[in-house]
Amino acid sequence: MNGSLYPVAILFAAIFTNNILLTNYLGMCSFLSVSRELKTSVGLGVAVTFVMATTSVLNWLVYNKILVPLELEYLRFIVFIIVIAAFVQIVEMVIERVSETLYAALGIFLPLITVNCAILGVSLFMVIREYSFIESFTFGLGSGIGWFLAILAMAGIRQKLKKARLPKGLEGAGITLVITGMMAMAFMGFSGMINIG
Amino acid sequence: MVKGKLKKTFTDPLGKNNPVFAQILGICSTLAVTNKLENTVVMTLGVVFTTTLSSFVISLIRKWIPSRVRMMAETLIIASFVIIVDITLRAYMPDIWKQLGPYVGLIITNCIIMGRAEAFALNNTPGLSLIDGLASGIGYSYVLIIVAIFRELLGTGSLWGIKILGSWWTNWSIMIMPPGAFFMLAIFIWIVKGAIIPEKEEAKK
């Protein structure tokens, strides 16, 4: 494939055809629990996109510049999770100092991000698929936007759904999963466009 | 009394407090690895190993972990066990390791393990935590295995890679693709929550 086009292709593939939530099932826990309100979904979506794009770059540097030369690749799980947790902690402290309103809006979501498996998943996919620096960044950014898109759509649907009458057992997680399945089917319509492993 | 608590610790995560269908935790891997029974079984063994031992170790050192850094300490302990699982799988089952891809590493962020560490292992004795971890692991495993059996059978007509349904069966291939995973789990949760759990709750009242 054309070298200069590839990172852009990864960006779009990560948003649509290889959506991290709908085709790789990552970040489901927070997706299911936070998608009740549109407002909170936006907060979490922004935080996830930002952290994903940044940690994919940081982890790429740490993995390729430190772990690979030292032949310590098997330590990547521990190192990646430390980088993510430390980064989230720093971001939280910076936001607290810089902007009170932003902290009030994002503050509660930042701890949730450390345990969001999509963030770690992006870094692990990046290693398996052997992405370059730029590709890792676009993959992280695209995955974040894709996740944001999915949770936004779900929150919108669920706000309308409050008025619907459902069978008792299907309330909450059940119906959310059914709708997610339908969204996954809709996103499968994009699959002819681009494909990344 | 002690025996009663022991029994409750073991049976709760299998039934009404099941991590997957009652607490909706660990959904990511439930969906991702259930398209082939073989992969599912290997994955569940890895999770059982990690939940059991990490709960035990976290409980052992719970008095020395400062509460500010406890999440970090827990994550590190969990990650160490996952590395053991990862290396073992790569050495003995390279094919399955390849198919599972990043999901072995993602055992670290499986909310069940962190959830049990936070909710149980920090406040209970090592022995009890070991049982709790084991039971949570088993509770998670059997849900996954049931879902995997349905998905593989309907999606490819086979189980464990062996053809079960004859040539008359048309593969329902959406079952092994992402949407099928979401629908199958939704149906499972619906059946369990709708038919089994409410009856018990009403009986108590």
Side-chain angles (χ1 to χ4, degrees):
Chain A
M1 196 176 271
N2 189 333
S4 64
L5 188 73
Y6 202 39
V8 182
I10 287 181
L11 180 74
F12 282 100
I15 299 174
F16 296 111
T17 56
N18 291 63
N19 189 295
I20 194 113
L21 183 100
L22 298 171
T23 59
N24 296 113
Y25 321 99
L26 294 176
M28 285 300 295
C29 301
S30 36
F31 176 77
L32 289 176
S33 55
V34 181
S35 62
R36 271 185 214 106
E37 299 277 339
L38 204 55
K39 217 174 129 199
T40 49
S41 302
V42 173
L44 190 64
V46 171
V48 163
T49 310
F50 174 64
V51 173
M52 228 179 233
T54 329
T55 54
S56 64
V57 169
L58 286 176
N59 278 337
W60 188 91
L61 287 173
V62 169
Y63 184 76
N64 286 292
K65 299 293 168 205
I66 300 174
L67 293 184
V68 172
L70 293 174
E71 293 179 1
L72 288 172
E73 289 97 333
Y74 64 90
L75 281 180
R76 66 178 184 277
F77 297 155
I78 287 192
V79 174
F80 285 177
I81 201 87
I82 292 176
V83 169
I84 293 168
F87 180 72
V88 170
Q89 193 94 62
I90 292 168
V91 170
E92 200 180 347
M93 290 193 292
V94 169
I95 291 179
E96 197 179 0
R97 285 284 157 82
V98 174
S99 163
E100 285 264 321
T101 42
L102 191 63
Y103 183 72
L106 283 186
I108 42 167
F109 298 116
L110 286 167
L112 272 177
I113 288 179
T114 320
V115 287
N116 186 325
C117 40
I119 310 271
L120 182 62
V122 163
S123 292
L124 294 176
F125 272 123
M126 167 194 95
V127 168
I128 290 175
R129 294 177 183 165
E130 294 171 350
Y131 282 153
S132 71
F133 185 76
I134 298 291
E135 286 166 355
S136 300
F137 172 69
T138 51
F139 178 62
L141 182 67
S143 298
I145 296 173
W147 198 88
F148 191 5
L149 199 66
I151 196 171
L152 209 61
M154 178 55 80
I157 295 171
R158 279 181 85 171
Q159 282 204 330
K160 299 281 171 202
L161 209 64
K162 277 180 196 153
K163 297 193 179 75
R165 288 175 59 189
L166 292 166
K168 195 101 193 92
L170 208 54
E171 275 172 9
I175 191 69
T176 315
L177 282 169
V178 172
I179 296 169
T180 316
M182 289 177 191
M183 275 163 62
M185 273 166 88
F187 270 64
M188 270 168 72
F190 292 119
S191 62
M193 251 166 41
I194 319 160
N195 206 0
I196 46 168
Chain B
M1 181 61 209
V2 176
K3 216 173 177 183
K5 195 175 180 199
L6 209 69
K7 194 168 165 249
K8 202 169 147 14
T9 308
F10 191 73
T11 52
D12 256 14
L14 299 182
K16 70 175 200 305
N17 232 338
N18 185 283
V20 181
F21 58 75
Q23 302 176 30
I24 321 290
L25 294 176
I27 302 289
C28 313
S29 50
T30 311
L31 297 163
V33 300
T34 49
N35 55 357
K36 272 178 94 182
L37 187 58
E38 204 180 351
N39 296 354
T40 313
V41 171
V42 172
M43 181 72 178
T44 54
L45 288 177
V47 172
V48 170
F49 173 83
T50 320
T51 41
T52 312
L53 289 177
S54 59
S55 272
F56 178 68
V57 172
I58 289 165
S59 174
L60 262 186
I61 59 166
R62 68 186 187 281
K63 290 192 183 112
W64 291 286
I65 305 177
S67 63
R68 268 195 81 87
V69 294
R70 70 172 197 286
M71 295 282 260
M72 206 66 229
E74 286 160 15
T75 317
L76 289 184
I77 292 166
I78 295 166
S80 325
F81 285 114
V82 174
I83 289 177
I84 298 175
V85 173
D86 184 60
I87 294 174
T88 316
L89 276 185
R90 184 151 46 160
Y92 293 102
M93 304 171 184
D95 292 338
I96 293 180
W97 178 78
K98 245 203 163 106
Q99 284 179 25
L100 288 175
Y103 295 102
V104 181
L106 288 168
I107 295 177
I108 298 172
T109 46
N110 189 319
C111 341
I112 296 173
I113 304 178
M114 186 59 103
R116 290 330 288 171
E118 281 282 302
F120 199 94
L122 283 177
N123 310 311
N124 285 285
T125 56
L128 219 51
S129 303
L130 184 91
I131 293 169
D132 178 70
L134 182 67
S136 299
I138 296 172
Y140 164 86
S141 304
Y142 83 83
V143 175
L144 252 77
I145 290 170
I146 293 171
V147 173
I149 289 174
F150 278 104
R151 282 186 70 195
E152 197 182 348
L153 197 63
L154 295 175
T156 61
S158 50
L159 270 183
W160 206 278
I162 302 160
K163 204 92 184 138
I164 300 267
L165 301 172
S167 52
W168 51 272
W169 175 256
T170 313
N171 286 346
W172 198 7
S173 49
I174 194 126
M175 290 315 293
I176 51 169
M177 286 194 279
F182 292 115
F183 292 141
M184 202 68 226
L185 189 66
I187 293 167
F188 189 90
I189 291 174
W190 186 10
I191 292 172
V192 172
K193 275 178 126 177
I196 301 166
I197 292 178
E199 275 174 30
K200 279 183 190 158
E201 273 171 10
E202 274 162 33
K204 256 187 230 160
K205 283 172 197 166

